[in-house]
């Protein structure tokens, strides 16, 4: 007589149990495999997200660094320009006096060609008396003076001071020069702008001109 386990575990029933267990195992494996795949996919997605975030952060930092570099360069250029302008404005001007009595001081040496006699040129200027009072300025009008150099269209000190000669080097286009003119090279004993007993430029006045030679007209 068979024992109870053997009676329950008949060959047919055992086969069914084996089939059931195999099916269940296969199902469990598929569930596990699907879970593992989801886990791996999630991990990959998270990893990609992290990499994207890292790449974006790096690009943003690089762009910020480039922007900061450009801003810093712009700031340096701006400061450098202002320093150059300030240096030009505050630099002491040591005059060189020529035999004619004209004195000159180059604040900026030009880079272009010099003027030739009879040439039509353009120049900006500010005219001052010895006490520093400004009597005329083309900058205030927003337009340079246009004239023919060396043919007497302007006072003698201007012709000599820009064209050169008698110990004065010619100005080059783009240059800035301060001229100190004795009365004989300016308006002499007559003065200028005289009306009702007063003159804008008094007789026998020594004149100072800040001249910027722009170039030919």
């Amino acid at each position: 007589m068979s024992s109870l386990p053997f009676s329950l575990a008949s060959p047919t029933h055992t086969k069914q149990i084996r089939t059931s267990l195999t099916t269940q195992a296969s199902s469990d494996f598929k569930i596990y495999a699907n879970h593992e795949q989801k886990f791996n996919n999630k991990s990959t997605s998270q990893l990609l997200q992290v990499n994207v975030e890292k790449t974006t952060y790096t690009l943003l930092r690089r762009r910020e660094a480039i922007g900061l570099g450009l801003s810093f360069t712009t700031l340096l250029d701006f400061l450098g320009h202002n320093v150059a302008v300030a240096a030009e404005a505050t630099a002491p001007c040591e005059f060189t006096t020529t035999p004619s009595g004209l004195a000159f001081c180059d604040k900026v040496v030009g880079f272009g060609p010099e003027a030739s006699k009879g040439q039509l040129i353009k120049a900006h200027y500010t005219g001052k008396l010895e006490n520093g009072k400004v009597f005329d300025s083309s900058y205030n009008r927003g337009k340079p003076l246009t004239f023919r150099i060396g043919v007497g269209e302007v006072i003698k000190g201007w012709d000599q001071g820009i064209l050169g000669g008698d110990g004065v080097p010619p100005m080059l286009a783009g240059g800035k020069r301060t001229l100190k003119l004795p009365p004989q090279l300016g308006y002499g004993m007559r003065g200028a702008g005289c009306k009702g007993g007063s003159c804008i430029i008094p007789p026998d006045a020594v004149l100072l001109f800040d001249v910027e030679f722009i170039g030919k007209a």
Side-chain angles (χ1 to χ4, degrees):
M1 187 171 177
S2 302
S3 62
L4 182 61
F6 286 102
S7 64
L8 292 176
S10 64
T12 302
H13 186 63
T14 301
K15 184 177 181 181
Q16 291 176 348
I17 292 174
R18 286 178 179 173
T19 302
S20 176
L21 289 174
T22 302
T23 303
Q24 183 66 36
S26 177
S27 176
D28 290 343
F29 178 77
K30 289 180 180 180
I31 292 173
Y32 174 78
N34 290 335
H35 177 73
E36 181 69 16
Q37 183 64 32
K38 289 180 180 178
F39 177 79
N40 289 337
N41 288 342
K42 184 177 182 181
S43 298
T44 302
S45 176
Q46 289 177 339
L47 182 60
L48 289 174
Q49 184 178 357
V50 170
N51 286 337
V52 168
E53 289 177 354
K54 286 183 177 180
T55 303
T56 304
Y57 176 78
T58 301
L59 291 175
L60 287 174
R61 293 297 295 173
R62 287 179 180 175
R63 187 164 63 183
E64 288 174 1
I66 292 172
L68 180 60
L70 291 175
S71 299
F72 188 65
T73 301
T74 303
L75 178 62
L76 287 179
D77 291 341
F78 175 75
L79 292 176
H81 173 72
N82 283 350
V83 168
V85 171
E88 179 186 329
T90 60
C93 195
E94 296 182 5
F95 286 101
T96 299
T97 303
T98 65
S100 67
L102 182 147
F104 68 94
C105 172
D106 283 318
K107 291 186 174 181
V108 176
V109 176
F111 52 83
E114 62 187 68
S116 57
K117 187 176 181 179
Q119 187 178 47
L120 191 65
I121 67 169
K122 294 188 294 183
H124 264 305
Y125 69 93
T126 297
K128 295 178 286 187
L129 301 177
E130 271 192 301
N131 61 10
K133 182 180 179 180
V134 175
F135 58 80
D136 193 15
S137 175
S138 64
Y139 293 104
N140 293 341
R141 293 191 295 273
K143 185 178 180 181
L145 178 67
T146 301
F147 62 97
R148 293 191 183 278
I149 189 73
V151 294
E153 287 190 3
V154 291
I155 54 179
K156 293 180 181 180
W158 265 57
D159 277 339
Q160 184 183 349
I162 296 176
L163 193 60
D166 194 22
V168 181
M171 287 189 73
L172 302 179
K176 295 181 180 181
R177 173 179 288 177
T178 298
L179 302 174
K180 186 175 183 180
L181 310 183
Q184 65 272 20
L185 296 179
Y187 294 96
M189 59 183 302
R190 300 188 316 274
C194 298
K195 185 178 180 181
S198 63
C199 300
I200 296 175
I201 300 175
D204 296 321
V206 174
L207 305 177
L208 294 167
F209 284 96
D210 293 320
V211 180
E212 178 183 359
F213 175 33
I214 298 174
K216 66 178 182 178

